[in-house]
Amino acid sequence: MKKNLLMTLLFSGMMGLTCLTAAGQEIDTTVVTGQKIAGNSVKARKYNLNLSFGRSEDSVKNESAPTGRFGYGITFTRLDIGFSRLIDNGSFKLSPKNDFLDYRGIKTSTVSFDIAYFGYRFNPNFRIYAAAGFDWTLIRLNRNITIQKNTPDLTYVEEPIDFNKNRFSSSYVHIPLNFEFRTKENQRGKRFYFVVGPEVSFLLNGKVKQISDERGKQKFRNDYDFQKVRLGGTLRVAYAGIGLFTKYYFNDMFDTEAQKGLKNMSFGITFGIH
């Protein structure tokens, strides 16, 4: 993933998703314009903007949401931005056979978001919904190596140069099934959210991106023995659309015998829970 894409997603999450989810929700925005000063009085005309895609099921005001109702829509929400960690047979320390995957923790990250959902609200405090979206895991390698393409096992070669960037990444399309519990709205129309559920993901591709003075920018795409189908679970705790998330993947990260027991998890900030 390109750096400008990450910045765009981050900006979008912080500036927009906390208040706007085009997922079948209605948004009322009051715009004040045409102000006139007459003596000491100020008059203003108000205009309301309403935006909705899909079937609305939730309220953004101090009202109870409908019960026994389906909801669906096209959305750009549940934007997760955080860090990824590799777990080698229960340890955060990599074993000697996986030491070539040694990475920079502060620059090993994850980004994901949903683009569609379909769900059913049982009552104002509980609903179940399935979603679809995309997920990236971006590993910043420490060693000057190149992961090899089209090999039966995850292999690499040592390089005689120093890379300014050596990133090993995977991208998936994910389908989570979420169970959402939420409190009543307060006087400001805000709620606490607790969301938990399983997730299945399907591999799109793997990627190696390298930048060096000697070779410039290079990109290589392959499946790199990443799991074709990934199973995991997600937990989110949020208030008013902003919160924390953690994800854990139950099966191995790679479909190779040497990397058996090597899993990954992620955690960070989530935007746009509505």
Side-chain angles (χ1 to χ4, degrees), residues 111-144:
V111 178
S112 69
F113 57 85
D114 292 341
I115 60 171
Y117 88 100
F118 178 85
Y120 185 81
R121 177 164 298 287
F122 292 86
N123 58 55
N125 304 112
F126 176 68
R127 70 166 171 159
I128 298 176
Y129 61 93
F134 299 96
D135 183 291
W136 291 265
T137 299
L138 312 167
I139 304 171
R140 183 68 71 88
L141 298 175
N142 271 325
R143 293 175 57 176
N144 295 312

Side-chain angles (χ1 to χ4, degrees), residues 80 112 135 174 199 233-234 236 245-249 265-266:
D80 297 332
S112 69
D135 183 291
H174 66 204
E199 161 182 311
T234 303
R236 291 184 178 91
F245 79 91
T246 184
K247 297 180 181 180
Y248 180 79
Y249 300 103
M265 66 167 294
S266 59

Side-chain angles (χ1 to χ4, degrees), residues 7 53 73 77 98 121 125 169 177 196 198 207 225 253:
M7 296 302 296
F53 296 93
T77 189
N98 293 320
R121 177 164 298 287
N125 304 112
S169 62
L177 176 64
V196 64
K207 180 179 175 181
D225 296 303
M253 190 173 183

